[in-house]
Amino acid sequence: MFNRTQKEYTVVSSAKPQHTYPLDAWSIRETSFDTQSHFLDETLFALGNGYIGLRGSYEDGYSGPANTTLDGSYLNGFYESETIHYPETAYGLAKTNQFMLNVPNGKGISLWIDDERFDLLHGTVEQYERSLDFRTGVLLRKVLWTSSKGQRISIVSRRVVCFEHKHLYAIEYTVTPLNFSGKLRLVASLDGAVKNIEAGDDPRIGSAVSGPALQLVDSQQEDDFSALLHHTSNSGFALVSATASKLDYSGTHTLRLLKNGQRLEQSYEVQATEGLAIRLTKFGSYFSSRDYPAKELMYRSRDTLAQAQATGFAELLLEQEQYLANFWQQADVEIAGDDALQQGIHFNQFHLLQSVGRDGKTNISAKGVTGEGYEGHYFWDTEIYIFPFFLYSKPEIAKKLLEYRYAGLEQARQRARQMSHERGALYPWRTIAGEECSAYFPAGTAQYHINADIAYSIKLYFEATGDQDYLVNFGAEILMETARIWLGIGSYDREGRFCINQVTGPDEYTALVNNNYYTNAMARLHLNFAADVAERIAAKQPEQFSRIAALMALDNAEPAAWRRAAQLMNLPYDAALQIHAQDDSFLSKKVWDFANTPKEKYPLLLNYHPMVIYRHQVCKQADVVLALLLLSDEFSKEDKKRDFDYYEPLTTHDSSLSSCIYSIIASEIGYHEQAYDFFMETARLDLDNTHGNTHYGVHTAAMAGTWMGVAYGFAGMRVVKGALRFAPTLPTQWQHYTFKIHFQGALLEVRVEPGRTEYRLLQGETLRLSHRGEEITLTLSAPVKSLA
């Protein structure tokens, strides 16, 4: 039966002291300054717009220990590269790493009262509040502070990273002297002397940077404008970081421009009057040669900041609120009965929106744009966990994620050649610009299932949107080039079964195995879908098929070969246990000694050599159980229950990708209490820092897994052969829940209450779906159906 032991170990061993945030469905808020949670708070209060990411560090600085802060500013897709040095190398190993850079810091606004600098760790903090509102996208901080000389001031800061303007962020910083008049100094800075975290013992954190990644080429400073021009040392990019500041104050003030190395300052000397507010508004921008020719970057920076100043801070806030109102109108998941969960869901959805690239050239990294964990790399997390959320909530963003994969198709072809495949394309396990960056191939490059994961997302997209143009112009080429790899890596055994050997499945505690069930099952889906698409386009759009076939040098016999391999795919099954074996050898290994593994030894990857872990029956995350979800119609409920019962006790859930999948399957097979526990761990994983590493960035896959837990788990949503199905349940802790999905041109609202589910057509003319096997049709004239 279901065993909670390993989950409890994981949570206990990884949890760190938390900051307690008041429960509010639409915001996170802290009401006291807490140095113990400061590092974590910098992540939780981060802002982004899919390109720019600003950690929630204070404008006026933090003087605590260096290991309790990371004042990071990041750009999705902007990276440095370095050669990977192997003490013992081999042919075909990844040659170059790419890592997201901490770029010049334009947030800085320091405040001086006479000769004393405002510092939360000095003087007296009388009142403090900071909040991040998910409906306005504004980070707000209010501080009442008394200096060592007894001078009291009020500080109110507001920060926004603009969704409507890719390259722009803005800060409003208001200071009011409360019991004195005298000299104040406000210094708006742009600081290029930044660096990345250095790699440590945890492989999930930091970059092996050998020296400064950004080289200063030029700086400009005049009136209210400051700019730094940098070049990366190896990746060949140019970057202009710029700010423009304006002081609003009716009293006497002067401006001085200062330069200290890579730090540019606009210093405002103010003769302050008691009770009279002083407001500094600061606009910042980042432009790189990944988007525009290098010669245009400075001009574009000036122009963007000038337009922002003309627009004004208040108007930018209004634009931000309107953008988010539209997002929440489509994406909001409403839950009545659990305030902690409602807050967690909104927090997760907001951070996903902040983190995802939407230009077709960038993706979404495992940590978003909130921290440097995993070096800003993109993984399969996108296709299997994050893509469904955007597909059903904001499909135009989902399409851009697929366009990113097409942009990397040529690099995937090159990687296939490096891996000795004469034809086809092999997508990288971890990357930014398209090249493989995984230096540890047993748990990286060996995960060939990345090709099938991308194919799965294309299939999901086509079934949900019917976007034939995308399929013909982009998707078909990806599908067929990547399908070729399975015939390149696989072979037929003496019994005629198609086998795929020496690969690693989703479970990273089991590596380099033969016939990983998930990989083979997903490859079968991939091969069949690629053949379907080839046949459909050949029959209906022969000219387009000829074009695609010519691009690929596709042999006429290839689709039939894909069909045959799919039909004869080896899918391991143990008849005695009546379960799907994770691979050919998994069940022959000894079970990990969970009873005698102390809690401080979790996660296992930080405490045991990989070979020790690989010799045991122990899983880091869902593997076979993930296949039960993605290929749901291929298994009976009894199959799912037996597989779940066998694999869950063997799973540590050391991966943040695990608990959401186990929650969904537990819900489907009737383990409702366990489903809810797993779901709660997913929903508040970052807010409660249950994995103990959120200070290095959020966990975007788990965040999207929360949405999946509602839609796929409790609502039982599945899409099978293009048909939309639901089998809703209502957790006993909830009064009701509601969510919306885009599907086949319609917007559907699903509301589940005790004893009743209501389906409401909000947009579109007609939508067909099934409820517990009963087929229903929603139309403009009859847009609502209520069923038991």
Side-chain angles (χ1 to χ4, degrees), residues 49 51-52 162-168 286 291 359 361:
N49 65 358
Y51 176 61
I52 299 172
C162 304
F163 284 116
E164 295 283 17
H165 307 278
K166 173 180 175 179
H167 302 277
L168 183 67
Y286 295 102
D291 294 317
D359 55 10
K361 297 183 292 185

Side-chain angles (χ1 to χ4, degrees), residues 636-642 644-645 664-672:
S636 68
K637 186 174 180 179
E638 291 72 25
D639 285 333
K640 293 174 182 177
K641 184 178 183 299
R642 286 192 297 268
F644 185 100
D645 289 345
I664 294 166
I665 300 303
S667 181
E668 183 176 6
I669 61 180
Y671 291 176
H672 300 301

Side-chain angles (χ1 to χ4, degrees), residues 102-174:
N102 189 0
V103 295
N105 179 9
K107 300 188 295 290
I109 301 174
S110 56
L111 168 64
W112 299 77
I113 305 172
D114 292 328
D115 59 352
E116 183 174 356
R117 180 172 177 170
F118 166 69
D119 187 333
L120 287 168
L121 273 71
H122 298 88
T124 303
V125 179
E126 297 183 16
Q127 293 180 20
Y128 174 97
E129 181 178 338
R130 178 166 57 165
S131 62
L132 174 56
D133 192 310
F134 312 139
R135 289 170 297 190
T136 64
V138 175
L139 177 62
L140 170 67
R141 184 176 54 129
K142 298 178 180 179
V143 179
L144 187 62
W145 181 82
T146 301
S147 73
S148 62
K149 298 177 182 178
Q151 296 158 307
R152 299 176 72 238
I153 59 169
S154 164
I155 298 175
V156 178
S157 66
R158 295 192 292 175
R159 182 189 304 175
V160 64
V161 179
C162 304
F163 284 116
E164 295 283 17
H165 307 278
K166 173 180 175 179
H167 302 277
L168 183 67
Y169 65 94
I171 300 168
E172 182 189 77
Y173 193 90
T174 304

Side-chain angles (χ1 to χ4, degrees), residues 408-427 448 451 476-489 526 551-555 558 562:
L409 182 56
E410 187 54 41
Q411 291 100 317
R413 288 185 174 112
Q414 294 170 12
R415 182 58 176 162
R417 304 302 168 269
Q418 293 167 1
M419 295 299 293
S420 302
H421 299 293
E422 294 181 359
R423 56 177 58 191
L426 176 61
Y427 276 94
Y448 269 65
N451 271 13
E477 192 178 349
I478 296 175
L479 286 169
M480 292 190 283
E481 280 283 41
T482 51
R484 286 171 152 175
I485 294 298
W486 299 120
L487 270 65
I489 190 177
H526 183 181
L551 280 173
M552 297 173 50
L554 183 70
D555 188 282
E558 286 188 72
W562 301 338

Side-chain angles (χ1 to χ4, degrees), residues 656-671:
S656 61
L657 280 63
S658 191
S659 58
C660 61
I661 304 303
Y662 273 92
S663 173
I664 294 166
I665 300 303
S667 181
E668 183 176 6
I669 61 180
Y671 291 176

Side-chain angles (χ1 to χ4, degrees), residues 79-83 96-97 99 101 209-215 231-237:
Y79 66 92
E80 174 62 313
S81 58
E82 285 212 342
T83 300
T96 305
N97 187 31
F99 52 92
L101 285 172
V209 186
S210 61
L214 290 172
Q215 306 297 327
H231 283 176
T232 57
S233 299
N234 300 316
S235 56
F237 298 124

Side-chain angles (χ1 to χ4, degrees), residues 321-340:
E321 187 170 355
Q322 291 171 342
Y323 182 95
L324 284 166
N326 175 265
F327 170 72
W328 290 117
Q329 191 276 329
Q330 301 175 70
D332 184 23
V333 175
E334 176 191 340
I335 292 174
D338 194 321
D339 294 340

